[in-house]
Amino acid sequence: MLILRREALGDLPVLHIQLQGLRLRNPFTASGLQTDLGHMPISEEAVQQSVTDLLEQNATPSDDAGGYEEWRAAYERGEAGVFTLPVAQVVQALEDAVNAPTPADTFSKSNRK
């Protein structure tokens, strides 16, 4: 986990982090695995619950491809928020979401009487 930025949203300290070295199942990638997440806004408290050791300071993050700017614009429109769960739970929720069956997979129509 790399911390890209820290800011306060009202009384909530928020960290913008980047995750590398993931093995997130993602059927929308060529390999079926997603290995990084360029930008994730998360409460500082949730990060503190997630981190056990500081491995390096002043590490160089890879380019987040404008993730913060996109998030910030959506946040200001009221269309985005901040994760408050520990990082592992957020990653699991993201993996579950991208692998959830679509309604077409879940329901079928039958014309039988």
Side-chain angles (χ1 to χ4, degrees):
M1 172 188 336
L2 297 172
I3 299 173
L4 305 172
R5 175 186 304 237
R6 183 181 191 276
E7 70 180 318
L9 298 176
D11 292 337
L12 182 66
V14 174
L15 299 177
H16 298 271
I17 65 173
Q18 184 177 87
L19 300 177
Q20 299 171 344
L22 297 174
R23 294 191 47 80
L24 184 84
R25 288 180 305 113
N26 185 340
F28 302 103
T29 63
S31 68
L33 286 176
Q34 182 174 337
T35 58
D36 65 307
L37 191 58
H39 173 257
M40 182 168 59
I42 187 167
S43 71
E44 187 172 321
E45 181 181 353
V47 170
Q48 289 172 348
Q49 294 172 2
S50 305
V51 175
T52 56
D53 294 311
L54 174 64
L55 300 178
E56 183 178 352
Q57 287 185 315
N58 301 316
T60 304
S62 62
D63 181 23
D64 80 344
Y68 173 80
E69 288 81 13
E70 289 178 31
W71 171 84
R72 187 70 191 177
Y75 178 81
E76 290 175 1
R77 292 189 308 268
E79 298 171 355
V82 174
F83 292 104
T84 57
L85 297 171
V87 173
Q89 289 180 23
V90 173
V91 170
Q92 185 62 59
L94 292 172
E95 183 176 57
D96 292 347
V98 298
N99 289 285
T102 61
D105 296 337
T106 306
F107 302 101
S108 63
K109 182 177 178 181
S110 174
N111 290 329
R112 288 193 250 175
K113 293 183 180 184

